[in-house]
Amino acid sequence: MSFSRIAVLGLGKVGHLAAELLAASGFEVTGIDARAVTEAPFATRVANLTEAEGLQDILWGQEAVLSCLPYSLNTGVASAAHALGLHYFDLTEDVPTTKHIRRLAATARGVMAPQCGLAPGFVGIVGAHLAGQFDKVRSIRLRVGALPQNPTGLLGYAFNWSPEGVVNEYLNDCEVIEEGVLKSVSAMEWLETIHIDGMQLEAFTTSGGLGTMCETFADRVENLDYKTMRYPGHVTLMNFFFHELLMRENRADAGRILTHAKPPVSDDVVYLHVAVEGWRDDQLGREEFVRAYYPLEIGGKSRTAIAWTTSASVAAVIEMVRDGRLPQQGFLKQEEIPLVPYLKTRTGNYYEIGHRRRNG
């Protein structure tokens, strides 16, 4: 069933741009934030979004909701959406939050679609698409890095993404499939070197980026893992910070310290490296999807790579649900979303035009 009214909760860089993209795609958008927002091409409201009890009143009259709030608030938003029968979308990489939404989805009247960002989200859509090109899959390797184009200091990093989310990814255990066995491994391990367009990067395990892919590909793949990419030397320093200095014991302070030391930058880049190996007609082969995404001008303003890749990813999924191209009820796995029609949506098309190849 088609819908048009959608509330976007949280109007930071990602939430505001997602609301703009949805409005440009024909949705009747209401942006809601704890602070007043002006000069928006969509309706806005001010509301306290931290109290779960009042969320149903805030969402009354909507047909769908997109939460761009900190992951800790998403269980309350999802519960309110479920009670009202709304379609629900979010960007979370938090595993317990997704498990809560999965339970709600069993009795949902609308679609419950968490993890609609970059990773989990777009990277899983790409991985499943490449895996579908093989008769039998040996490995699926997903790698994503959101980085400053011109790094400084030993960390070579800038917090263009939620510090709470980054800290969780660096400290929570990670699901993988290794030699056909589902396992939980520590974050910031399994270090490897990757080159993209001549740029040397390091990759290491972080939590949440696979979403539900381990469940989907159980008994179908020998090896499946997700890693974050950073400039060389980063993971050694972060292990020192969290484990030797014991900052893992105070995640909130860790996030504040890191953000204060490495604030956001405008000139960023998002690297994506997805590689799948398997057999076609009894021949072993490998397919890759490797991209570098840079800032884009959208709506007359320059948008950071991490903002537009994340916003476009979720907006494309919402477009597809509205247009009846995806399920209208229950839990939606990202890897069930077909890549080709996804890239043909108004917002998904930014992934086609927003990357640079080595040869231009």
Side-chain angles (χ1 to χ4, degrees):
M1 180 182 297
S2 182
F3 65 97
S4 61
R5 297 190 304 278
I6 184 167
V8 178
L9 308 187
L11 298 176
K13 287 184 179 180
V14 170
H16 198 287
L17 179 53
E20 291 181 57
L21 294 174
L22 290 169
S25 296
F27 288 90
E28 184 182 334
V29 177
T30 301
I32 305 175
D33 199 276
R35 56 182 176 81
V37 175
T38 58
E39 299 182 8
F42 50 84
T44 63
R45 288 171 52 197
V46 175
N48 179 7
L49 300 173
T50 62
E51 301 295 335
E53 305 80 52
L55 289 173
Q56 287 190 44
D57 291 337
I58 293 170
L59 295 176
W60 185 261
Q62 299 293 330
E63 296 173 292
V65 57
L66 163 59
S67 177
C68 299
L69 298 170
Y71 75 89
S72 58
L73 300 178
N74 283 341
T75 56
V77 177
S79 296
H82 177 268
L84 294 170
L86 311 183
H87 295 305
Y88 172 84
F89 307 88
D90 75 28
L91 307 170
T92 191
E93 67 279 341
D94 185 63
V95 175
T97 299
T98 298
K99 288 181 177 178
H100 171 79
I101 295 167
R102 186 75 174 270
R103 290 191 292 269
L104 294 175
T107 55
R109 287 174 282 164
V111 69
M112 305 293 287
Q115 306 180 323
C116 294
L118 182 61
F122 180 64
V123 69
I125 297 171
V126 173
H129 172 76
L130 295 185
Q133 299 179 28
F134 294 95
D135 302 322
K136 181 182 177 182
V137 180
R138 178 166 76 174
S139 66
I140 302 174
R141 313 288 193 185
L142 310 181
R143 311 288 185 257
V144 176
L147 295 164
Q149 290 183 41
N150 307 296
T152 60
L154 297 177
L155 279 179
Y157 192 61
F159 275 81
N160 278 33
W161 186 245
S162 157
E164 297 90 353
V166 172
V167 170
N168 261 9
E169 292 170 13
Y170 280 22
L171 293 180
N172 292 351
D173 285 346
C174 317
E175 274 193 337
V176 302
I177 295 176
E178 184 181 27
E179 304 302 328
V181 179
L182 176 63
K183 297 180 179 180
S184 182
V185 302
S186 297
M188 296 194 288
E189 301 289 351
W190 292 14
L191 186 64
E192 67 176 318
T193 298
I194 292 177
H195 291 86
I196 298 178
D197 289 349
M199 176 64 68
Q200 180 175 325
L201 303 165
E202 65 181 22
F204 49 90
T205 52
T206 52
S207 73
L210 285 178
T212 55
M213 288 192 71
C214 283
E215 173 190 324
T216 298
F217 284 92
D219 303 320
R220 293 171 52 191
V221 64
E222 295 177 25
N223 294 282
L224 168 62
D225 58 61
Y226 172 83
K227 295 182 183 180
T228 288
M229 293 186 289
R230 299 287 186 253
Y231 294 115
H234 179 92
V235 72
T236 298
L237 292 169
M238 295 308 292
N239 267 305
F240 172 78
F241 177 75
F242 281 115
H243 298 298
E244 195 157 330
L245 297 185
L246 302 181
M247 290 306 300
R248 66 178 184 271
E249 298 176 0
N250 194 329
R251 297 188 181 199
D253 281 350
R256 283 192 290 270
I257 290 170
L258 291 168
T259 307
H260 180 71
K262 296 294 179 181
V265 296
S266 298
D267 293 329
D268 67 334
V269 56
V270 168
Y271 290 112
L272 200 78
H273 191 292
V274 180
V276 177
E277 296 179 355
W279 289 266
R280 275 184 301 238
D281 301 323
D282 296 323
Q283 295 293 315
L284 181 62
R286 177 182 173 97
E287 294 290 339
E288 295 182 338
F289 184 100
V290 182
R291 300 286 189 273
Y293 297 108
Y294 291 85
L296 276 181
E297 184 173 309
I298 300 175
K301 299 178 183 178
S302 179
R303 317 291 182 148
T304 62
I306 187 59
W308 77 254
T309 52
T310 305
S311 302
S313 182
V314 68
V317 174
I318 295 171
E319 282 187 59
M320 292 181 74
V321 173
R322 177 195 62 185
D323 297 340
R325 298 181 181 181
L326 291 174
Q328 303 294 295
Q329 189 176 20
F331 189 80
L332 176 64
K333 294 181 178 181
Q334 295 299 303
E335 59 270 22
E336 294 173 343
I337 299 170
L339 178 63
V340 174
Y342 173 98
L343 293 175
K344 290 181 179 178
T345 62
R346 177 186 173 91
T347 45
N349 187 246
Y350 282 115
Y351 276 103
E352 293 283 77
I353 65 176
H355 74 89
R356 300 178 188 173
R357 299 176 184 270
R358 180 180 300 173
N359 296 322

Short mmCIF file of all heavy atoms in Angstrom, two decimals, residues 189-233:
data_model
loop_
_atom_site.label_atom_id
_atom_site.label_comp_id
_atom_site.label_asym_id
_atom_site.label_seq_id
_atom_site.Cartn_x
_atom_site.Cartn_y
_atom_site.Cartn_z
N GLU A 189 40.23 -6.64 15.57
CA GLU A 189 41.12 -7.77 15.34
C GLU A 189 41.12 -8.10 13.84
O GLU A 189 40.53 -7.40 13.04
CB GLU A 189 40.67 -8.99 16.16
CG GLU A 189 40.63 -8.74 17.67
CD GLU A 189 42.00 -8.62 18.31
OE1 GLU A 189 43.01 -8.89 17.62
OE2 GLU A 189 42.07 -8.25 19.49
N TRP A 190 41.79 -9.20 13.47
CA TRP A 190 41.86 -9.69 12.09
C TRP A 190 42.35 -8.59 11.14
O TRP A 190 41.79 -8.34 10.08
CB TRP A 190 40.51 -10.20 11.62
CG TRP A 190 40.02 -11.46 12.29
CD1 TRP A 190 40.51 -12.03 13.43
CD2 TRP A 190 38.95 -12.30 11.85
NE1 TRP A 190 39.80 -13.17 13.74
CE2 TRP A 190 38.85 -13.35 12.79
CE3 TRP A 190 38.08 -12.27 10.78
CZ2 TRP A 190 37.90 -14.38 12.67
CZ3 TRP A 190 37.13 -13.27 10.67
CH2 TRP A 190 37.05 -14.32 11.59
N LEU A 191 43.43 -7.94 11.51
CA LEU A 191 43.96 -6.81 10.74
C LEU A 191 44.44 -7.25 9.36
O LEU A 191 45.10 -8.27 9.21
CB LEU A 191 45.12 -6.17 11.52
CG LEU A 191 45.70 -4.88 10.94
CD1 LEU A 191 44.67 -3.76 10.96
CD2 LEU A 191 46.94 -4.48 11.75
N GLU A 192 44.08 -6.47 8.33
CA GLU A 192 44.54 -6.73 6.97
C GLU A 192 44.81 -5.41 6.26
O GLU A 192 44.36 -4.35 6.69
CB GLU A 192 43.52 -7.55 6.19
CG GLU A 192 42.23 -6.81 5.90
CD GLU A 192 41.27 -7.61 5.03
OE1 GLU A 192 41.73 -8.25 4.06
OE2 GLU A 192 40.06 -7.58 5.32
N THR A 193 45.53 -5.48 5.15
CA THR A 193 45.84 -4.32 4.34
C THR A 193 45.02 -4.36 3.05
O THR A 193 44.91 -5.41 2.41
CB THR A 193 47.33 -4.27 3.99
OG1 THR A 193 48.09 -4.16 5.20
CG2 THR A 193 47.65 -3.09 3.08
N ILE A 194 44.45 -3.21 2.68
CA ILE A 194 43.65 -3.08 1.47
C ILE A 194 44.13 -1.85 0.72
O ILE A 194 44.46 -0.83 1.33
CB ILE A 194 42.15 -2.95 1.79
CG1 ILE A 194 41.62 -4.27 2.35
CG2 ILE A 194 41.34 -2.55 0.55
CD1 ILE A 194 40.17 -4.23 2.76
N HIS A 195 44.15 -1.91 -0.62
CA HIS A 195 44.49 -0.76 -1.45
C HIS A 195 43.29 -0.40 -2.32
O HIS A 195 42.71 -1.27 -2.99
CB HIS A 195 45.70 -1.06 -2.33
CG HIS A 195 46.98 -1.20 -1.56
ND1 HIS A 195 47.38 -2.39 -1.01
CD2 HIS A 195 47.94 -0.29 -1.25
CE1 HIS A 195 48.55 -2.22 -0.39
NE2 HIS A 195 48.91 -0.96 -0.52
N ILE A 196 42.90 0.86 -2.32
CA ILE A 196 41.84 1.36 -3.18
C ILE A 196 42.36 2.59 -3.91
O ILE A 196 42.76 3.57 -3.29
CB ILE A 196 40.57 1.73 -2.38
CG1 ILE A 196 40.01 0.49 -1.67
CG2 ILE A 196 39.52 2.35 -3.29
CD1 ILE A 196 38.78 0.77 -0.83
N ASP A 197 42.38 2.52 -5.24
CA ASP A 197 42.90 3.62 -6.06
C ASP A 197 44.28 4.08 -5.60
O ASP A 197 44.58 5.28 -5.55
CB ASP A 197 41.92 4.80 -6.04
CG ASP A 197 40.65 4.52 -6.82
OD1 ASP A 197 40.61 3.51 -7.53
OD2 ASP A 197 39.70 5.31 -6.68
N GLY A 198 45.13 3.13 -5.21
CA GLY A 198 46.48 3.45 -4.79
C GLY A 198 46.61 3.87 -3.34
O GLY A 198 47.72 4.08 -2.86
N MET A 199 45.49 4.01 -2.64
CA MET A 199 45.51 4.42 -1.23
C MET A 199 45.61 3.18 -0.34
O MET A 199 44.79 2.27 -0.45
CB MET A 199 44.25 5.20 -0.88
CG MET A 199 44.15 5.59 0.59
SD MET A 199 45.45 6.74 1.11
CE MET A 199 44.96 8.20 0.17
N GLN A 200 46.62 3.14 0.53
CA GLN A 200 46.76 2.01 1.45
C GLN A 200 45.89 2.25 2.68
O GLN A 200 45.93 3.30 3.30
CB GLN A 200 48.21 1.82 1.87
CG GLN A 200 48.39 0.64 2.84
CD GLN A 200 49.84 0.35 3.16
OE1 GLN A 200 50.72 0.51 2.31
NE2 GLN A 200 50.11 -0.07 4.38
N LEU A 201 45.12 1.24 3.02
CA LEU A 201 44.24 1.29 4.18
C LEU A 201 44.42 0.02 4.99
O LEU A 201 44.87 -1.01 4.48
CB LEU A 201 42.78 1.42 3.75
CG LEU A 201 42.43 2.62 2.86
CD1 LEU A 201 41.06 2.42 2.22
CD2 LEU A 201 42.45 3.91 3.68
N GLU A 202 44.05 0.09 6.27
CA GLU A 202 44.00 -1.12 7.09
C GLU A 202 42.53 -1.41 7.41
O GLU A 202 41.70 -0.50 7.49
CB GLU A 202 44.81 -0.96 8.37
CG GLU A 202 44.28 0.10 9.33
CD GLU A 202 45.14 0.23 10.59
OE1 GLU A 202 46.33 -0.16 10.55
OE2 GLU A 202 44.63 0.74 11.61
N ALA A 203 42.21 -2.68 7.56
CA ALA A 203 40.84 -3.08 7.87
C ALA A 203 40.86 -4.02 9.05
O ALA A 203 41.76 -4.86 9.19
CB ALA A 203 40.20 -3.76 6.65
N PHE A 204 39.85 -3.90 9.92
CA PHE A 204 39.78 -4.72 11.13
C PHE A 204 38.32 -4.91 11.51
O PHE A 204 37.45 -4.14 11.13
CB PHE A 204 40.55 -4.06 12.28
CG PHE A 204 40.22 -2.60 12.49
CD1 PHE A 204 39.19 -2.22 13.35
CD2 PHE A 204 40.92 -1.61 11.83
CE1 PHE A 204 38.87 -0.88 13.53
CE2 PHE A 204 40.61 -0.26 12.01
CZ PHE A 204 39.59 0.10 12.87
N THR A 205 38.05 -5.93 12.28
CA THR A 205 36.69 -6.26 12.65
C THR A 205 36.05 -5.16 13.50
O THR A 205 36.68 -4.61 14.39
CB THR A 205 36.64 -7.58 13.45
OG1 THR A 205 37.57 -7.50 14.54
CG2 THR A 205 36.99 -8.76 12.56
N THR A 206 34.79 -4.86 13.20
CA THR A 206 33.96 -4.00 14.04
C THR A 206 32.56 -4.58 14.04
O THR A 206 32.17 -5.32 13.14
CB THR A 206 33.92 -2.54 13.54
OG1 THR A 206 33.55 -2.53 12.15
CG2 THR A 206 35.25 -1.85 13.73
N SER A 207 31.78 -4.24 15.05
CA SER A 207 30.49 -4.89 15.23
C SER A 207 29.38 -4.21 14.44
O SER A 207 29.44 -3.02 14.14
CB SER A 207 30.10 -4.90 16.72
OG SER A 207 29.73 -3.60 17.14
N GLY A 208 28.35 -4.98 14.13
CA GLY A 208 27.11 -4.44 13.58
C GLY A 208 27.03 -4.30 12.09
O GLY A 208 25.93 -4.22 11.53
N GLY A 209 28.15 -4.26 11.38
CA GLY A 209 28.13 -3.95 9.96
C GLY A 209 27.48 -5.00 9.08
O GLY A 209 27.05 -4.71 7.97
N LEU A 210 27.39 -6.24 9.57
CA LEU A 210 26.79 -7.31 8.78
C LEU A 210 25.28 -7.34 8.88
O LEU A 210 24.61 -7.98 8.07
CB LEU A 210 27.33 -8.68 9.23
CG LEU A 210 28.75 -9.03 8.79
CD1 LEU A 210 29.14 -10.39 9.35
CD2 LEU A 210 28.86 -9.04 7.27
N GLY A 211 24.72 -6.67 9.88
CA GLY A 211 23.28 -6.74 10.05
C GLY A 211 22.84 -8.18 10.26
O GLY A 211 23.34 -8.88 11.14
N THR A 212 21.94 -8.66 9.40
CA THR A 212 21.39 -10.02 9.53
C THR A 212 22.02 -11.00 8.54
O THR A 212 21.51 -12.10 8.33
CB THR A 212 19.86 -9.99 9.31
OG1 THR A 212 19.58 -9.37 8.05
CG2 THR A 212 19.17 -9.21 10.41
N MET A 213 23.14 -10.64 7.94
CA MET A 213 23.68 -11.47 6.86
C MET A 213 24.18 -12.83 7.33
O MET A 213 24.11 -13.81 6.59
CB MET A 213 24.79 -10.72 6.12
CG MET A 213 24.26 -9.60 5.25
SD MET A 213 25.49 -8.93 4.12
CE MET A 213 25.67 -10.25 2.92
N CYS A 214 24.67 -12.91 8.57
CA CYS A 214 25.12 -14.22 9.06
C CYS A 214 23.96 -15.20 9.12
O CYS A 214 24.11 -16.38 8.79
CB CYS A 214 25.77 -14.08 10.43
SG CYS A 214 27.46 -13.42 10.38
N GLU A 215 22.82 -14.72 9.52
CA GLU A 215 21.63 -15.57 9.53
C GLU A 215 21.22 -15.96 8.12
O GLU A 215 20.93 -17.12 7.82
CB GLU A 215 20.48 -14.84 10.22
CG GLU A 215 19.15 -15.56 10.15
CD GLU A 215 17.99 -14.69 10.63
OE1 GLU A 215 18.19 -13.91 11.57
OE2 GLU A 215 16.90 -14.79 10.04
N THR A 216 21.20 -14.99 7.22
CA THR A 216 20.76 -15.24 5.85
C THR A 216 21.67 -16.21 5.12
O THR A 216 21.21 -17.08 4.37
CB THR A 216 20.68 -13.91 5.08
OG1 THR A 216 19.71 -13.07 5.71
CG2 THR A 216 20.30 -14.12 3.63
N PHE A 217 22.99 -16.08 5.33
CA PHE A 217 23.94 -16.89 4.57
C PHE A 217 24.48 -18.09 5.35
O PHE A 217 25.41 -18.75 4.89
CB PHE A 217 25.08 -16.01 4.07
CG PHE A 217 24.70 -15.15 2.91
CD1 PHE A 217 24.22 -13.86 3.11
CD2 PHE A 217 24.78 -15.63 1.61
CE1 PHE A 217 23.83 -13.06 2.04
CE2 PHE A 217 24.41 -14.85 0.53
CZ PHE A 217 23.93 -13.55 0.75
N ALA A 218 23.91 -18.39 6.51
CA ALA A 218 24.30 -19.59 7.24
C ALA A 218 24.08 -20.81 6.36
O ALA A 218 23.07 -20.92 5.66
CB ALA A 218 23.49 -19.71 8.52
N ASP A 219 25.05 -21.72 6.35
CA ASP A 219 25.00 -22.95 5.53
C ASP A 219 25.10 -22.67 4.03
O ASP A 219 24.93 -23.59 3.22
CB ASP A 219 23.73 -23.75 5.81
CG ASP A 219 23.57 -24.12 7.28
OD1 ASP A 219 24.59 -24.47 7.90
OD2 ASP A 219 22.45 -24.06 7.80
N ARG A 220 25.35 -21.40 3.66
CA ARG A 220 25.46 -21.08 2.24
C ARG A 220 26.83 -20.50 1.89
O ARG A 220 27.13 -20.30 0.71
CB ARG A 220 24.38 -20.07 1.84
CG ARG A 220 22.97 -20.61 1.91
CD ARG A 220 21.95 -19.51 1.72
NE ARG A 220 22.18 -18.71 0.52
CZ ARG A 220 21.54 -17.56 0.26
NH1 ARG A 220 20.66 -17.09 1.14
NH2 ARG A 220 21.80 -16.91 -0.84
N VAL A 221 27.65 -20.19 2.90
CA VAL A 221 28.94 -19.56 2.65
C VAL A 221 29.95 -20.07 3.67
O VAL A 221 29.60 -20.34 4.83
CB VAL A 221 28.81 -18.02 2.73
CG1 VAL A 221 28.43 -17.56 4.11
CG2 VAL A 221 30.09 -17.34 2.27
N GLU A 222 31.19 -20.22 3.25
CA GLU A 222 32.23 -20.69 4.16
C GLU A 222 32.76 -19.57 5.05
O GLU A 222 33.04 -19.79 6.23
CB GLU A 222 33.39 -21.29 3.35
CG GLU A 222 33.01 -22.56 2.58
CD GLU A 222 34.15 -23.07 1.75
OE1 GLU A 222 35.32 -22.78 2.09
OE2 GLU A 222 33.90 -23.75 0.74
N ASN A 223 32.89 -18.36 4.49
CA ASN A 223 33.46 -17.25 5.24
C ASN A 223 32.71 -15.96 4.92
O ASN A 223 32.49 -15.64 3.75
CB ASN A 223 34.94 -17.07 4.90
CG ASN A 223 35.78 -18.24 5.36
OD1 ASN A 223 36.10 -18.37 6.53
ND2 ASN A 223 36.13 -19.13 4.43
N LEU A 224 32.33 -15.26 5.97
CA LEU A 224 31.59 -13.99 5.85
C LEU A 224 32.03 -13.09 6.99
O LEU A 224 31.96 -13.48 8.16
CB LEU A 224 30.09 -14.26 5.92
CG LEU A 224 29.14 -13.06 6.11
CD1 LEU A 224 29.24 -12.10 4.93
CD2 LEU A 224 27.71 -13.55 6.28
N ASP A 225 32.51 -11.90 6.66
CA ASP A 225 32.88 -10.97 7.72
C ASP A 225 32.79 -9.52 7.24
O ASP A 225 32.75 -9.25 6.04
CB ASP A 225 34.28 -11.26 8.27
CG ASP A 225 35.37 -11.21 7.21
OD1 ASP A 225 35.56 -10.15 6.61
OD2 ASP A 225 36.04 -12.24 7.00
N TYR A 226 32.72 -8.63 8.21
CA TYR A 226 32.69 -7.19 7.96
C TYR A 226 33.85 -6.54 8.70
O TYR A 226 34.13 -6.88 9.85
CB TYR A 226 31.37 -6.57 8.45
CG TYR A 226 31.38 -5.06 8.38
CD1 TYR A 226 31.10 -4.39 7.20
CD2 TYR A 226 31.74 -4.30 9.50
CE1 TYR A 226 31.15 -3.02 7.13
CE2 TYR A 226 31.79 -2.91 9.44
CZ TYR A 226 31.50 -2.28 8.25
OH TYR A 226 31.57 -0.90 8.17
N LYS A 227 34.50 -5.59 8.03
CA LYS A 227 35.58 -4.83 8.67
C LYS A 227 35.46 -3.35 8.32
O LYS A 227 34.97 -2.98 7.25
CB LYS A 227 36.95 -5.35 8.21
CG LYS A 227 37.26 -6.78 8.64
CD LYS A 227 38.64 -7.21 8.20
CE LYS A 227 38.92 -8.66 8.58
NZ LYS A 227 40.28 -9.08 8.15
N THR A 228 35.94 -2.54 9.23
CA THR A 228 36.05 -1.10 9.02
C THR A 228 37.43 -0.79 8.47
O THR A 228 38.43 -1.39 8.90
CB THR A 228 35.84 -0.36 10.36
OG1 THR A 228 34.45 -0.44 10.70
CG2 THR A 228 36.25 1.09 10.27
N MET A 229 37.51 0.14 7.54
CA MET A 229 38.79 0.56 6.98
C MET A 229 39.21 1.91 7.55
O MET A 229 38.40 2.82 7.70
CB MET A 229 38.70 0.66 5.45
CG MET A 229 38.50 -0.68 4.76
SD MET A 229 38.56 -0.60 2.94
CE MET A 229 37.01 0.24 2.58
N ARG A 230 40.49 2.00 7.87
CA ARG A 230 41.09 3.24 8.38
C ARG A 230 42.48 3.40 7.75
O ARG A 230 43.01 2.49 7.13
CB ARG A 230 41.22 3.21 9.91
CG ARG A 230 39.89 3.08 10.65
CD ARG A 230 39.10 4.36 10.61
NE ARG A 230 37.90 4.31 11.42
CZ ARG A 230 36.66 4.22 10.94
NH1 ARG A 230 36.47 4.15 9.63
NH2 ARG A 230 35.63 4.20 11.74
N TYR A 231 43.07 4.58 7.96
CA TYR A 231 44.45 4.77 7.53
C TYR A 231 45.39 3.96 8.43
O TYR A 231 45.08 3.72 9.60
CB TYR A 231 44.82 6.26 7.56
CG TYR A 231 44.04 7.08 6.54
CD1 TYR A 231 43.14 8.06 6.95
CD2 TYR A 231 44.21 6.86 5.18
CE1 TYR A 231 42.42 8.81 6.02
CE2 TYR A 231 43.50 7.60 4.25
CZ TYR A 231 42.60 8.57 4.67
OH TYR A 231 41.88 9.29 3.74
N PRO A 232 46.54 3.53 7.90
CA PRO A 232 47.44 2.65 8.65
C PRO A 232 47.85 3.23 10.00
O PRO A 232 48.14 4.42 10.13
CB PRO A 232 48.65 2.50 7.72
CG PRO A 232 48.09 2.69 6.35
CD PRO A 232 47.02 3.74 6.51
N GLY A 233 47.86 2.36 11.02
CA GLY A 233 48.26 2.74 12.37
C GLY A 233 47.11 3.08 13.30
O GLY A 233 47.28 3.15 14.51
#
